[in-house]
Amino acid sequence: GNSVTQMEGPVTLSEEAFLTINCTYTATGYPSLFWYVQYPGEGLQLLLKATKADDKGSNKGFEATYRKETTSFHLEKGSVQVSDSAVYFCALIFTGGGNKLTFGTGTQLKVEL
Amino acid sequence: DVKVTQSSRYLVKRTGEKVFLECVQDMDHENMFWYRQDPGLGLRLIYFSYDVKMKEKGDIPEGYSVSREKKERFSLILESASTNQTSMYLCASTPGSRAYEQYFGPGTRLTVT
């Protein structure tokens, strides 16, 4: 079946450091890929998406590129802020395969001053 | 602004009690979902509904049931709560045309003692 694997957290960084959170997937076919973010005390919200190979999703300074050859969708940000502290979830969905997102286990990011 | 609300942020129930978790969305979305979120396991889909009075089992439906009598409201029912149902419960909704763009409520942290 389909699955998403994320790096384990927590990831702790100093403000202005470079961020990478790894995400790889296993799927039959070519899914659409997403990053969701959950700030403390809130529900998840969509951060960015990519619907086909080589697409780059971006939002709020975060980027992720859909790499078919490595089945990866790593999240990056050049300079993190304390306000980026949250849990980040990688997810996939198949268009036409129903409405079900498959989520990774989440990676907690802590940014310190 | 899109809004998904859940009836309680925190709930404490005793083993064997019947528990109702309510979710309401104000966006006229066709699809609604119930997930549970546990550390190290990420989000797991319990049930979803793509229309009024329609429901489908997710990955972990055992011990749960759902009700959708009106388009805006989706209820999760624990018929006889058990301690292994202590968890964070998240409701989400999405329009039929953009199944990936799920809008989440803030969650209900349920403790069963």
Side-chain angles (χ1 to χ4, degrees), chain B residues 82-94:
Chain B
S82 64
T83 55
N84 63 13
Q85 293 178 309
T86 291
S87 187
M88 171 70 84
Y89 290 88
L90 293 171
C91 175
S93 73
T94 182

Side-chain angles (χ1 to χ4, degrees), chain A residues 9-45:
Chain A
V11 173
T12 303
L13 295 173
S14 299
E15 204 170 42
E16 299 184 1
F18 185 85
L19 168 72
T20 300
I21 300 179
N22 291 337
C23 170
T24 57
Y25 67 89
T26 302
T28 50
Y30 302 108
S32 295
L33 300 172
F34 310 91
W35 278 100
Y36 276 77
V37 59
Q38 184 180 32
Y39 297 105
E42 300 182 12
L44 280 72
Q45 54 187 275

Side-chain angles (χ1 to χ4, degrees), chain A residues 34 36 38 41 43-44 49 99, chain B residues 9 31 37 99-100 102 104-105:
Chain A
F34 310 91
Y36 276 77
Q38 184 180 32
L44 280 72
K49 68 180 189 290
N99 299 323
Chain B
R9 292 300 298 268
N31 307 301
Q37 181 180 9
Y100 60 85
Q102 297 197 7
F104 282 81

Side-chain angles (χ1 to χ4, degrees), chain B residues 5-69:
Chain B
T5 55
Q6 295 184 227
S7 48
S8 307
R9 292 300 298 268
Y10 300 93
L11 208 51
V12 179
K13 296 292 182 181
R14 293 186 184 276
T15 301
E17 279 193 84
K18 189 168 187 175
V19 182
F20 293 87
L21 302 182
E22 302 283 330
C23 175
V24 178
Q25 50 97 0
D26 65 358
M27 299 157 285
D28 202 36
H29 284 169
E30 291 84 1
N31 307 301
M32 296 187 75
F33 305 80
W34 275 107
Y35 296 90
R36 63 177 284 175
Q37 181 180 9
D38 300 287
L41 297 176
L43 273 73
R44 293 180 291 168
L45 182 63
I46 305 171
Y47 268 96
F48 67 101
S49 168
Y50 53 88
D51 201 351
V52 176
K53 296 192 186 295
M54 307 300 287
K55 61 184 179 184
E56 291 219 10
K57 293 179 180 179
D59 301 317
I60 52 163
E62 297 78 20
Y64 303 94
S65 62
V66 290
S67 172
R68 193 166 181 202
E69 296 296 318

